[in-house]
Amino acid sequence: MASPPTRPAQETPEPHPALHPSVTNVPVTPGVHLAGHSAYIEPELAHDTNLPFDPDQVTPGPQWNANSYFAPKEDDRAGSPTEVAAGARTSEELLRRLSKIPDPLAKHDLADVDPRAAHPGLNLSGRVISATFAVPYNIGYNPGNDWELKSRRGTSALFDSFSYLASASSPWNHVLVGWTGEIREPPSAAATAAPTQVNKAAAPIPVDARAVPPSPPQAGGMRIGREDRERLEKQLERDHGGKIVPVWLADEWDEEKKVAVIKDQHRWRRYAEHELYTLFHYKQNEPADGRAARKSWADYYLLNRLFADRIMEIYQPGDIVMVHDYHLLLLPSLLRSRHSTIYVGFFLHVPFPSSEFYRCLSRRKEILEGVLGANMVGFQSYSYSRHFSSCCTRILGFDSSSAGVDAYGAHVAVDVFPIGINAASTQRQAFGDPTIEDKIKGIRELYAGKKIIVGRDRLDSVRGVAQKLQAFEIFLERYPDWVGKVVLIQVTSPSNVQEDQEDDDDNKFVNKIADLVARINGTYGSLSYTPVQHFPQYLSREEYFALLRVADVGLITSVRDGMNTTSLEYVICQKDNHGPLILSEFSGTAGSLAGALHINPWDLGGVASAIEEALNMPQDKCDEQHAELYKHVIANNVQAWTNNFLRRLMTNLSSFDQSFATPALDKTKVLLQYRKAKKRLFMFDYDGTLTPIVRDPQAAIPSDRVIRTLKTLASDPNNAVWIISGRDQKFLDEWMGSISELGLSAEHGSFMRHPRCDDWENLTETTDMSWQPEVMKVFEQYTERTPGAHIERKKIALTWHYRRADPVFGVHQARECQKTLENSVAKKFDVEVMTGKANLEVRPRFVNKGEIAKRLVEGYGDKPEDAPEFVLCLGDDFTDEDMFRSLRQSGLPKDNVFSVTVGASSKQTLASWHLVEPSDVISVISLLNGSADAGNVGAVAAVEGSIPESRL
């Protein structure tokens, strides 16, 4: 087979000026050999996988980044203070060594030592399952051989948390579940395959700007057999301590050969990083025709569903599942739908926007419903938690407070947990490496006589790099005395989020940064002075810590950020210098680091003033601010964050009864069972289920979409569709009678009209109705006293409506009326007084919807093989509980029955599933009718294995 033609040399694009080798090949620290400790190496080459501890001395644990919870063998194993103090040369070193000895009298929370003993009622297994988007490794595939594992960059604080949970210091057993990430192809394929597509702004450093672009990969994709997949799973557990369970996301599966075919690996990131990450950081994409978003949403749904499947394979009762970040927002609900009493905590590491912005998200309801499957939801700052609760109320209609959200029959706690770093490890690394001392010396010689301001950010627009440069320009203009005396060292490393932007947008952002740097240096620089030193590159660990230690000022100007760990690491590295920290108020760290100088990055003049204040700050004030910051960072480390989150989760689980939680309806499960069944029964309430509740009951008429959807459903000969309502015969005939295939039941089961029949059957002909005059008299008395109330007289029941009355007075009058009736009529006749949505109804006791549901199920026959294979029953108020109770007692297989309560109420119900509003009911019916609209496309893709092209 002939090799594919290469592009002509003249078509090779010119590199961006900021990415020219003459710029990118200059190290931050002078004297660093490019082949050794270069900051310009590719991410997968930045770290090796050697364990940073002696296996002879400690139990091997996971090594996912530079930080480790396992001390070197010569460090902390002295048996007494005398042994620890031996060899200390200064009083500071002596205090530092003694501080590492655990105090035998120190009091610890029992939940941090023995969680099962602290919460015996939870029946904990002692294991935590952490679900994160990708495992902590960049994985390379070599068929038939061991996999190549390189440490993954980014989210170091999160990886530190996993490392702590897997260590002997934690009371928990730990399992990490994550996607394999984009698997690198074997060397033979990599030689001809194009590199993974990434955002130019995110990765501005080409390996060789003059190289001819490689040919695209073959269409067949990467094929990974079962033996190789099992080898990776064993290798992860064998070589890297903590148990890691990979999630395999394949484009196709060769079931016969058990082979996973992997083609477009970036598809699994697309929705989260193009839609969610963008909007959560208060940005919006350009409008499109919706096809791409539709496909990416289906992939996002499939991703979360595959995670749920993988977790349930290893789940044991009593496990706690911790779900992390915006890639897995649907996972809590999917887990809840599989195991209604599972313990789930969710933590969002990025900002959560205000309701005004969040409402712009097309799949806004599904995202909130997904998160509310958790028992507790955690955020970085109070404002994010407040925004989330507000969205649940404004969009879903759930009651919420600062403590949480009442949803699906349970209380979902909402709390704030600012994440920390592994402070001890960071300090050990920053101050324990002689190489760092050499780099610090080189930086100080290079910038002798100048104050050093350090900024280190990801290269994307939310990090505020452009605002930082513009503010620094204003600073030099306002305070000309500082020209020649201060330098800004700005390092912009590639983003770990691929936003899938257009090339022009990428270049515009890179151009803007390059132009700002050039303008500032051209205006205020000279042959001997360059005010801005901009390095668009990765940093080695040594260079990074050297910069943070040598800095006089730390400058962070992110315009939206979750938790900026650079600020925390800066505080640790400044334990000797005590340099001020300037921190954006929009960073998730701002609420925790009160000792920093808080700035609004959009107020460029204010940032410039803060720079001047920091540079001129008296030393005693610097010492005071740093002491406060340092104390906070040391105390609130990642270990404390992990323990606090789990401790609060267990407290909430013990405080609130979760046994009545009703998960959101699993559309995929419904569709699968519907397609398998041949005998199907549908039972729908009317008001609040098929149509919204309105102030005037006579105005609750069905929309054209409702009529068309029901008619399509009822036209299938395998479907028996019934509307079981409290409405009278006249209303149902007028609005639903045109659908001849539809069965109708009026007045809560008093009357029935069978499909393709015009006559109504009266099920209460022999009933004593002599109670009605006495009830009418009571209703008339309360109608006169309650403006806006009215009486509805049905053939069997009498109903008193107060929806138009004053809400508070109407409820009060209804209670008084109910008491009057229960103490009079209800004691003399076999009737019951029923409270509905803004109404009271009196009817014979034996008349209820449950009797109709029982009659319809029994109508299929007595034998098990005659029973309906699919039952979908939906209702919104307490009168529908009779139907749910009847279905529970019917003896039908549990997987064949879907009883669904409808509404935003957090009521406890006998239903097994929950939908929020009538529009969701119509969407589910449309799904069964074959519609694959945007909200249903994920379920269709999960069942059919492909994404429908139609947008209908």
Side-chain angles (χ1 to χ4, degrees):
M1 179 177 176
S3 60
T6 57
R7 297 181 184 178
Q10 61 269 25
E11 292 184 14
T12 302
E14 277 292 314
H16 189 280
L19 311 180
H20 194 274
S22 63
V23 175
T24 62
N25 284 341
V26 179
V28 175
T29 308
V32 178
H33 194 279
L34 291 175
H37 302 281
S38 173
Y40 302 96
I41 52 181
E42 288 294 299
E44 61 268 23
L45 300 179
H47 301 287
D48 60 29
T49 54
N50 293 328
L51 297 175
F53 51 83
D54 189 338
D56 296 330
Q57 296 293 327
V58 295
T59 303
Q63 170 61 13
W64 294 323
N65 51 44
N67 293 342
S68 169
Y69 289 91
F70 301 96
K73 64 179 182 180
E74 71 275 11
D75 195 16
D76 298 339
R77 295 201 164 265
S80 69
T82 304
E83 293 178 40
V84 173
R89 298 181 180 179
T90 64
S91 59
E92 181 181 357
E93 184 180 356
L94 176 61
L95 289 173
R96 178 178 62 81
R97 292 190 178 195
L98 291 175
S99 68
K100 294 181 179 181
I101 304 176
D103 182 0
L105 300 179
K107 295 183 179 180
H108 298 282
D109 193 305
L110 181 60
D112 295 338
V113 179
D114 189 348
R116 284 182 286 187
H119 298 276
L122 296 180
N123 296 316
L124 297 171
S125 67
R127 186 171 71 163
V128 171
I129 300 174
S130 295
T132 188
F133 176 56
V135 298
Y137 300 102
N138 286 312
I139 297 176
Y141 178 45
N142 190 5
N145 299 301
D146 276 358
W147 294 70
E148 186 180 82
L149 304 178
K150 303 289 185 181
S151 295
R152 182 184 296 276
R153 284 185 177 270
T155 58
S156 59
L158 178 59
F159 291 165
D160 279 342
S161 173
F162 299 153
S163 182
Y164 164 66
L165 284 170
S167 74
S169 303
S170 165
W172 300 94
N173 296 317
H174 184 247
V175 178
L176 178 61
V177 178
W179 176 41
T180 58
E182 287 87 354
I183 298 173
R184 287 176 282 113
E185 297 193 51
S188 58
T192 58
T196 302
Q197 180 66 36
V198 292
N199 183 348
K200 284 187 178 179
I205 309 300
V207 177
D208 186 348
R210 296 165 293 184
V212 176
S215 304
Q218 296 183 358
M222 192 187 314
R223 300 177 64 85
I224 303 176
R226 183 172 62 181
E227 290 184 1
D228 283 328
R229 297 197 302 274
E230 292 175 349
R231 181 182 295 108
L232 174 62
E233 296 176 19
K234 292 177 181 178
Q235 188 178 340
L236 286 171
E237 185 169 0
R238 179 193 71 207
D239 296 346
H240 299 274
K243 183 176 178 61
I244 299 177
V245 177
V247 178
W248 296 94
L249 303 179
D251 296 81
E252 300 171 12
W253 285 94
D254 185 337
E255 295 296 340
E256 182 178 348
K257 298 181 179 179
K258 306 296 183 183
V259 170
V261 182
I262 297 176
K263 297 178 182 177
D264 179 11
Q265 300 191 73
H266 181 49
R267 60 183 282 200
W268 307 110
R269 294 181 178 272
R270 202 162 283 134
Y271 186 83
E273 298 183 0
H274 183 62
E275 302 291 338
L276 296 178
Y277 181 88
T278 301
L279 186 131
F280 281 16
H281 287 83
Y282 290 81
K283 299 190 297 179
Q284 285 184 288
N285 298 310
E286 291 294 324
D289 64 6
R291 285 185 172 86
R294 173 188 171 85
K295 289 183 177 180
S296 63
W297 168 253
D299 286 335
Y300 186 77
Y301 178 86
L302 288 173
L303 161 76
N304 280 262
R305 195 167 188 86
L306 289 167
F307 262 80
D309 293 341
R310 195 70 163 116
I311 289 172
M312 294 313 297
E313 289 176 6
I314 62 173
Y315 172 78
Q316 300 170 2
D319 286 350
I320 290 179
V321 182
M322 284 185 67
V323 182
H324 292 274
D325 227 3
Y326 60 97
H327 292 90
L328 302 175
L329 292 168
L330 303 181
L331 183 55
S333 180
L334 292 170
L335 291 171
R336 180 77 52 207
S337 69
R338 286 160 169 76
H339 198 295
S340 61
T341 58
I342 191 172
Y343 302 148
V344 182
F346 176 83
F347 189 82
L348 186 68
H349 294 260
V350 297
F352 194 92
S354 68
S355 61
E356 289 300 310
F357 217 87
Y358 180 81
R359 287 189 303 171
C360 300
L361 188 65
S362 60
R363 304 267 62 83
R364 59 193 186 183
K365 283 175 56 179
E366 290 86 345
I367 294 296
L368 292 177
E369 290 168 357
V371 175
L372 288 174
N375 300 105
M376 186 178 76
V377 183
F379 296 90
Q380 300 278 17
S381 73
Y382 174 71
S383 62
Y384 303 158
S385 69
R386 180 167 50 85
H387 292 162
F388 175 79
S389 297
S390 174
C391 286
C392 291
T393 299
R394 293 173 181 267
I395 294 172
L396 299 180
F398 291 149
D399 293 334
S400 67
S401 66
S402 59
V405 180
D406 293 328
Y408 306 127
H411 177 77
V412 179
V414 176
D415 219 326
V416 180
F417 304 91
I419 200 169
I421 59 173
N422 187 350
S425 175
T426 300
Q427 183 163 315
R428 184 167 58 245
Q429 293 173 75
F431 291 89
D433 189 344
T435 305
I436 296 176
E437 304 297 334
D438 295 337
K439 293 179 183 296
I440 291 175
K441 182 179 178 182
I443 295 173
R444 284 177 174 159
E445 289 176 355
L446 185 62
Y447 303 111
K450 299 179 180 65
K451 293 282 188 178
I452 299 174
I453 303 173
V454 168
R456 183 263 188 181
D457 305 274
R458 297 285 185 183
L459 189 57
D460 61 52
S461 56
V462 302
R463 306 300 177 179
V465 177
Q467 287 84 347
K468 183 184 301 185
L469 293 171
Q470 290 168 327
F472 186 67
E473 182 179 28
I474 293 175
F475 165 76
L476 294 176
E477 180 181 350
R478 281 188 183 177
Y479 307 100
D481 291 346
W482 279 104
V483 175
K485 299 178 182 178
V486 64
V487 61
L488 169 63
I489 302 178
Q490 176 61 43
V491 180
T492 48
S493 57
S495 173
N496 58 349
V497 171
Q498 301 174 11
E499 295 179 72
D500 214 20
Q501 296 175 337
E502 296 294 331
D503 289 350
D504 288 345
D505 294 335
D506 296 347
N507 282 327
K508 283 179 183 177
F509 186 68
V510 175
N511 282 336
K512 183 174 184 178
I513 300 300
D515 291 345
L516 283 170
V517 172
R519 188 174 75 201
I520 296 171
N521 289 339
T523 304
Y524 299 99
S526 64
L527 290 175
S528 59
Y529 172 61
T530 306
V532 178
Q533 300 285 341
H534 180 224
F535 302 97
Q537 61 185 58
Y538 288 107
L539 281 181
S540 68
R541 186 186 70 179
E542 294 81 8
E543 287 182 314
Y544 175 60
F545 286 131
L547 275 178
L548 294 187
R549 283 184 57 186
V550 81
D552 296 293
V553 176
L555 181 56
I556 297 172
T557 56
S558 49
V559 297
R560 255 338 136 179
D561 210 352
M563 182 58 63
N564 191 303
T565 55
T566 299
S567 59
L568 307 178
E569 290 160 344
Y570 175 81
V571 170
I572 294 296
C573 291
Q574 285 290 311
K575 78 179 188 70
D576 294 332
N577 286 3
H578 300 176
L581 171 64
I582 302 174
L583 181 62
S584 167
E585 65 186 51
F586 297 110
S587 169
T589 331
S592 306
L593 301 182
L597 296 175
H598 292 177
I599 50 94
N600 176 1
W602 299 102
D603 178 10
L604 304 180
V607 179
S609 298
I611 294 173
E612 191 273 338
E613 179 184 353
L615 290 173
N616 289 314
M617 185 176 291
Q619 188 59 46
D620 58 342
K621 188 175 181 180
C622 289
D623 297 342
E624 179 184 348
Q625 287 189 357
H626 182 266
E628 179 183 350
L629 292 171
Y630 186 79
K631 180 180 179 181
H632 174 85
V633 175
I634 289 293
N636 297 277
N637 54 33
V638 74
Q639 299 97 315
W641 174 82
T642 306
N643 289 335
N644 288 340
F645 186 92
L646 289 169
R647 185 168 58 246
R648 199 80 57 86
L649 174 60
M650 290 185 290
T651 300
N652 280 292
L653 288 170
S654 299
S655 303
F656 298 98
D657 186 359
Q658 305 292 327
S659 61
F660 292 99
T662 310
L665 181 63
D666 187 336
K667 293 183 179 180
T668 302
K669 189 173 183 179
V670 172
L671 183 60
L672 274 170
Q673 186 60 32
Y674 176 84
R675 292 189 176 182
K676 286 193 291 185
K678 297 300 181 184
K679 290 177 288 185
R680 313 178 187 118
L681 174 61
F682 296 84
M683 293 177 281
F684 302 121
D685 176 37
Y686 182 77
D687 291 285
T689 300
L690 294 175
T691 61
I693 296 291
V694 294
R695 289 183 63 84
D696 182 1
Q698 297 305 313
I701 60 176
S703 66
D704 180 60
R705 186 189 179 201
V706 171
I707 297 294
R708 286 187 287 106
T709 304
L710 287 174
K711 187 173 181 63
T712 302
L713 184 70
S715 64
D716 188 326
N718 294 324
N719 296 344
V721 185
W722 284 80
I723 294 179
I724 304 175
S725 173
R727 295 281 188 166
D728 59 20
Q729 299 155 273
K730 180 182 177 182
F731 183 91
L732 293 179
D733 265 334
E734 180 180 0
W735 295 109
M736 293 294 175
S738 60
I739 308 176
S740 60
E741 302 90 347
L742 206 59
L744 301 175
S745 175
E747 298 192 32
H748 301 291
S750 300
F751 301 91
M752 291 182 69
R753 197 201 79 173
H754 290 270
R756 299 177 181 84
C757 179
D758 295 331
D759 298 327
W760 285 87
E761 178 185 356
N762 187 350
L763 304 180
T764 60
E765 280 183 310
T766 60
T767 304
D768 178 12
M769 306 299 292
S770 60
W771 53 268
Q772 286 194 340
E774 193 169 338
V775 172
M776 277 295 295
K777 184 178 179 180
V778 174
F779 277 172
E780 286 171 352
Q781 292 174 354
Y782 278 90
T783 301
E784 292 175 1
R785 303 176 192 172
T786 313
H790 70 278
I791 303 170
E792 179 186 4
R793 183 162 194 164
K794 304 173 183 177
K795 290 186 177 181
I796 298 298
L798 293 175
T799 307
W800 184 70
H801 295 276
Y802 57 92
R803 189 174 301 280
R804 297 179 185 174
D806 178 83
V808 177
F809 186 63
V811 170
H812 171 74
Q813 290 292 82
R815 289 173 181 164
E816 294 300 313
C817 183
Q818 182 180 359
K819 290 179 183 178
T820 301
L821 291 168
E822 288 175 344
N823 292 327
S824 56
V825 180
K827 291 183 177 181
K828 293 162 49 177
F829 300 94
D830 190 21
V831 297
E832 57 183 342
V833 183
M834 309 291 289
T835 58
K837 291 188 175 179
N839 67 66
L840 279 178
E841 181 166 290
V842 182
R843 68 187 186 193
R845 191 174 296 278
F846 70 88
V847 175
N848 63 66
K849 294 181 179 181
E851 290 298 317
I852 296 298
K854 180 181 179 181
R855 177 185 288 239
L856 293 175
V857 172
E858 291 177 348
Y860 279 84
D862 298 331
K863 298 178 181 179
E865 60 269 21
D866 296 332
E869 300 162 336
F870 175 89
V871 179
L872 178 61
C873 178
L874 298 104
D876 72 307
D877 67 16
F878 77 97
T879 63
D880 301 304
E881 295 295 315
D882 294 327
M883 290 195 292
F884 304 150
R885 183 182 295 106
S886 178
L887 289 173
R888 280 178 176 259
Q889 299 170 351
S890 66
L892 294 173
K894 183 178 179 182
D895 290 340
N896 294 3
V897 178
F898 297 87
S899 55
V900 186
T901 187
V902 181
S905 172
S906 61
K907 63 180 180 294
Q908 295 176 352
T909 176
L910 292 173
S912 301
W913 304 93
H914 197 122
L915 286 174
V916 173
E917 57 188 357
S919 63
D920 296 330
V921 174
I922 303 306
S923 177
V924 170
I925 301 174
S926 299
L927 170 66
L928 303 182
N929 286 339
S931 170
D933 60 23
N936 291 328
V937 67
V940 175
V943 172
E944 298 182 352
S946 61
I947 301 171
E949 292 295 332
S950 171
R951 291 181 291 171
L952 300 178

